[in-house]
């Protein structure tokens, strides 16, 4: 009997050891160690919500985030220990905010909260606070079709979508203490947190003659960063140069010359993680114009010096002095400024 009982104890101990060795080690959290997180949203984004060069021109719209991911990371290793989705909306005299809860054991952590649900900006390496960063994907085949000539001289795998504005906040050295009720996470000054965009939007304006022969205008700008670390306020990754793709627009409301064939304006507002500040880096803007007959015209402009102007630094406006002339196509019609010849007026009663 004793031998059988000893055998059973040994068997149970072995099974227990096998189970423990096959399970991933996880820190247990006391159900009472729940913490309330409130993040105010800084929605003042230049050239998106304010600071427009021309209010009558089309410009980007800002969409307030619906959800944010809150992360608590080990302050030394950066390993993410706990995560929680903030999904409750609120507002007061200070502004709009998102709030929710996160559970974590006692200890010292770095807090990171970032926006979820962005169409073009993605986040990877989400397991570590120090390596987590935002990036965008390469453009698709349809876009490369607009850049048939440009992609012959630029690596198509480095032509990226422009990022969306995602709001991020971070705070190092938060010490969690045991509490029998829900604790509120705050800064050392006792304040709530504020999330700001990790990207910037620039307004770009180009003078052009012959816009009536242009069906579409695409631009690719080199010398920009393709990613940004979330753990740093200025987290642009300088070792990740990319070419940023965006479209030019035509509003037809502003003449730039009183000459016989006045130049008109093409413009765009594009978003970037930042300009790489390498002194040897050139900011080359490549335009590809698709004309009404299906042919392309490619123009390149070095805008390195434009980024150094006061308007670029203070207003994020890039106003190009160079004027581009579009050569008349052999055939075709229906450019950005279609003709109205052959139209006639008709009057008719409409049934109501």
């Amino acid at each position: 009997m004793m031998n059988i009982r000893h055998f059973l104890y040994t068997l149970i101990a072995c099974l227990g050891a096998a189970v423990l060795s096959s399970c991933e080690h996880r820190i247990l959290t006391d159900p009472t160690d729940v913490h309330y997180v409130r993040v105010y949203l800084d929605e003042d984004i230049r050239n998106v919500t304010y600071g427009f060069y021309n209010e009558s021109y089309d410009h980007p719209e800002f969409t307030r985030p619906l959800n944010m991911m809150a992360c608590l990371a080990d302050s030394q290793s950066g390993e993410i220990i706990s995560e929680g989705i903030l999904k409750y909306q609120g507002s007061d005299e200070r502004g709009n905010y998102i709030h929710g809860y996160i559970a974590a054991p006692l200890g010292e952590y770095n807090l990171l909260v970032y926006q979820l649900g962005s169409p073009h900006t993605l986040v990877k390496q989400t397991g570590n606070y120090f390596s987590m960063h935002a990036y965008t994907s390469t453009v698709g085949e349809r876009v490369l079709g607009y850049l048939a000539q440009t992609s012959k001289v630029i690596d198509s795998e480095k032509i990226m979508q422009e990022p969306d504005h995602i709001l991020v906040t971070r705070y190092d050295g938060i010490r969690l203490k045991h509490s029998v009720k829900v604790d509120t996470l705050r800064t050392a000054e006792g304040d709530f947190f504020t999330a700001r965009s990790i990207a910037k939007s620039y307004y770009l304006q180009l003078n052009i003659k012959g816009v009536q022969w242009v069906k579409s205008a695409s631009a690719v700008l080199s010398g920009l960063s393709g990613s940004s670390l979330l753990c740093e306020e200025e987290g642009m990754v300088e070792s990740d140069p990319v070419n940023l793709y965006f479209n030019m627009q035509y509003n037809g409301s502003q003449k730039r010359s009183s000459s016989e064939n006045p130049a008109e304006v093409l413009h765009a507002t594009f978003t970037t993680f930042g300009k790489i500040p390498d002194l040897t880096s050139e900011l080359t803007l490549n335009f590809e114009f698709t004309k009404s007959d299906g042919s392309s015209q490619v123009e390149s402009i070095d805008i390195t010096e434009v980024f150094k102007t006061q308007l670029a630094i203070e207003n994020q406006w890039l106003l190009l002095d160079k004027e581009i002339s579009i050569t008349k196509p052999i055939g075709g019609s229906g450019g950005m400024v279609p003709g109205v010849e052959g139209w006639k007026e008709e009057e008719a009663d409409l049934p109501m």
Side-chain angles (χ1 to χ4, degrees):
M1 178 66 70
M2 290 298 294
N3 288 337
I4 295 176
R5 182 178 298 174
H6 178 73
F7 172 76
L8 290 175
Y9 286 159
T10 304
L11 179 62
I12 292 171
C14 291
L15 289 174
V19 170
L20 288 174
S21 64
S22 64
C23 291
E24 181 184 352
H25 175 68
R26 294 184 182 276
I27 298 176
L28 297 178
T29 303
D30 190 308
T32 60
D33 291 332
V34 176
H35 309 274
Y36 173 74
V37 182
R38 177 184 293 191
V39 178
Y40 282 91
L41 308 176
D42 185 347
E43 300 176 345
D44 290 334
I45 303 174
R46 186 176 290 277
N47 293 317
V48 177
T49 59
Y50 81 102
F52 300 111
Y53 177 79
N54 190 323
E55 286 284 356
S56 67
Y57 286 2
D58 295 335
H59 49 71
E61 294 182 359
F62 172 74
T63 301
R64 184 173 300 141
L66 298 177
N67 300 289
M68 300 188 81
M69 175 66 78
C71 308
L72 287 171
D74 182 275
S75 59
Q76 298 301 315
S77 68
E79 178 190 358
I80 301 298
I81 302 300
S82 180
E83 295 178 325
I85 295 178
L86 311 183
K87 57 184 178 180
Y88 302 108
Q89 309 283 326
S91 63
D92 57 21
E93 67 282 354
R94 180 171 170 177
N96 297 303
Y97 59 86
I98 289 181
H99 57 131
Y101 301 90
I102 187 170
L106 311 185
E108 185 172 306
Y109 299 93
N110 292 343
L111 172 70
L112 177 67
V113 183
Y114 62 93
Q115 177 180 337
L116 294 175
S118 168
H120 294 120
T121 302
L122 310 171
V123 178
K124 63 181 178 181
Q125 297 185 9
T126 55
N128 191 281
Y129 174 81
F130 298 114
S131 61
M132 198 182 308
H133 63 276
Y135 70 103
T136 62
S137 56
T138 57
V139 299
E141 292 296 326
R142 184 176 68 87
V143 170
L144 290 177
Y146 302 140
L147 303 169
Q149 301 303 318
T150 303
S151 57
K152 290 180 180 179
V153 295
I154 293 179
D155 183 2
S156 60
E157 294 184 359
K158 280 289 187 177
I159 302 178
M160 315 298 289
Q161 298 276 4
E162 59 179 307
D164 302 304
H165 285 280
I166 68 166
L167 306 185
V168 178
T169 188
R170 78 285 296 161
Y171 195 85
D172 294 352
I174 289 183
R175 181 169 293 278
L176 301 189
K177 299 178 180 179
H178 181 74
S179 175
V180 295
K181 60 181 181 179
V182 175
D183 180 37
T184 298
L185 299 188
R186 297 178 183 269
T187 67
E189 296 75 26
D191 197 4
F192 292 113
F193 307 98
T194 300
R196 298 177 175 85
S197 177
I198 61 173
K200 289 183 177 180
S201 286
Y202 286 85
Y203 171 82
L204 173 72
Q205 181 171 284
L206 171 71
N207 301 330
I208 182 171
K209 283 186 176 181
V211 70
Q212 69 270 24
W213 296 316
V214 177
K215 291 185 69 175
S216 66
S218 302
V220 177
L221 179 58
S222 68
L224 302 178
S225 175
S227 55
S228 180
L229 289 168
L230 301 189
C231 66
E232 299 178 10
E233 190 167 350
E234 299 292 337
M236 178 188 65
V237 180
E238 297 182 18
S239 60
D240 183 24
V242 298
N243 303 297
L244 193 69
Y245 160 82
F246 53 93
N247 277 319
M248 302 296 294
Q249 296 178 290
Y250 172 73
N251 280 82
S253 59
Q254 182 175 343
K255 305 287 186 180
R256 300 295 297 174
S257 170
S258 58
S259 63
E260 206 169 295
N261 293 306
E264 299 190 77
V265 167
L266 291 184
H267 65 94
T269 301
F270 66 90
T271 304
T272 172
F273 291 125
K275 180 183 79 70
I276 297 176
D278 186 351
L279 294 178
T280 62
S281 172
E282 288 187 356
L283 289 160
T284 303
L285 191 57
N286 297 281
F287 295 102
E288 183 153 345
F289 303 96
T290 303
K291 294 190 278 189
S292 54
D293 65 348
S295 63
S296 295
Q297 180 173 331
V298 178
E299 302 282 347
S300 295
I301 303 176
D302 183 350
I303 66 168
T304 308
E305 296 303 316
V306 182
F307 260 95
K308 300 176 184 178
T309 63
Q310 206 66 21
L311 285 176
I313 296 170
E314 294 183 359
N315 300 82
Q316 293 161 214
W317 296 344
L318 305 174
L319 308 181
L320 308 186
D321 291 331
K322 183 175 179 179
E323 183 177 282
I324 290 179
S325 294
I326 303 300
T327 57
K328 187 176 181 178
I330 298 174
S333 61
M336 287 184 169
V337 189
V340 294
E341 294 181 5
W343 287 18
K344 60 180 180 179
E345 294 184 7
E346 291 189 6
E347 295 185 4
D349 294 327
L350 297 177
M352 301 296 289

